[in-house]
């Protein structure tokens, strides 16, 4: 759902894997777990990664991902799933990825309170 939301809002490709062939700029979302907030709400933890050929642009992609997810949380729907809020756990930080040495990578972490669907 977060991938669909960000692909609708951003001008770079967002996925769950590093694209092959490698794009100049892209974002990646990885679910890193989370907790059950209550009987019907899960608090998913998402790692957001922005990749680009320049450090500033990689940071910007990561920050834009946060902003769009927070906006979706305020609107009450994230990728069509009821969302009760998005909290930033960690702001964008430079964390190079050895397997993608030609791109800068900035990572951030958010939690999204989502209505349980299954």
């Amino acid at each position: 759902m977060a991938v669909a939301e960000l692909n609708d809002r951003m001008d770079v490709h967002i996925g769950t894997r590093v694209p092959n062939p490698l794009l100049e700029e892209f974002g990646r979302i990885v679910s890193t777990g989370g907790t059950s907030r209550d009987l019907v709400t899960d608090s998913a933890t998402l790692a957001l990664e922005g990749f680009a050929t320049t450090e500033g642009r990689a940071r910007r992609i990561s920050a834009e991902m946060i902003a769009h997810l927070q906006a979706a949380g305020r609107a009450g729907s994230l990728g069509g799933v009821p969302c009760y809020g998005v909290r930033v756990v960690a702001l964008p930080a430079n964390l190079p990825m050895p397997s993608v040495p030609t791109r800068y990578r900035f990572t951030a972490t958010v939690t999204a309170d989502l209505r349980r669907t299954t």
Side-chain angles (χ1 to χ4, degrees):
M1 78 225 49
V3 171
E5 184 74 37
L6 292 178
N7 272 316
D8 286 346
R9 293 174 177 254
M10 296 186 66
D11 62 354
V12 298
H13 171 76
I14 306 295
T16 59
R17 297 178 182 205
V18 173
N20 185 11
L22 199 59
L23 301 173
E24 189 169 317
E25 297 182 346
F26 60 95
R28 183 169 84 144
I29 300 176
V30 179
S31 175
T32 59
T35 62
S36 176
R37 189 182 86 170
D38 55 45
L39 290 175
V40 296
T41 310
D42 289 331
S43 187
T45 302
L46 305 172
L48 313 176
E49 301 174 333
F51 292 82
T53 56
T54 67
E55 193 171 0
R57 185 67 182 136
R59 186 198 179 290
R60 177 74 179 190
I61 291 168
S62 182
E64 286 179 12
M65 292 170 76
I66 292 170
H68 288 304
L69 292 177
Q70 287 178 315
R74 284 190 299 276
S77 177
L78 198 155
V81 175
C83 181
Y84 309 115
V86 173
R87 290 176 308 283
V88 178
V89 177
L91 292 170
N94 190 351
L95 184 61
M97 183 177 226
S99 62
V100 188
T102 60
R103 301 293 182 272
Y104 289 94
R105 176 178 75 153
F106 271 72
T107 67
T109 307
V110 299
T111 61
D113 292 337
L114 302 166
R115 175 82 178 189
R116 190 171 297 144
T117 57
T118 57

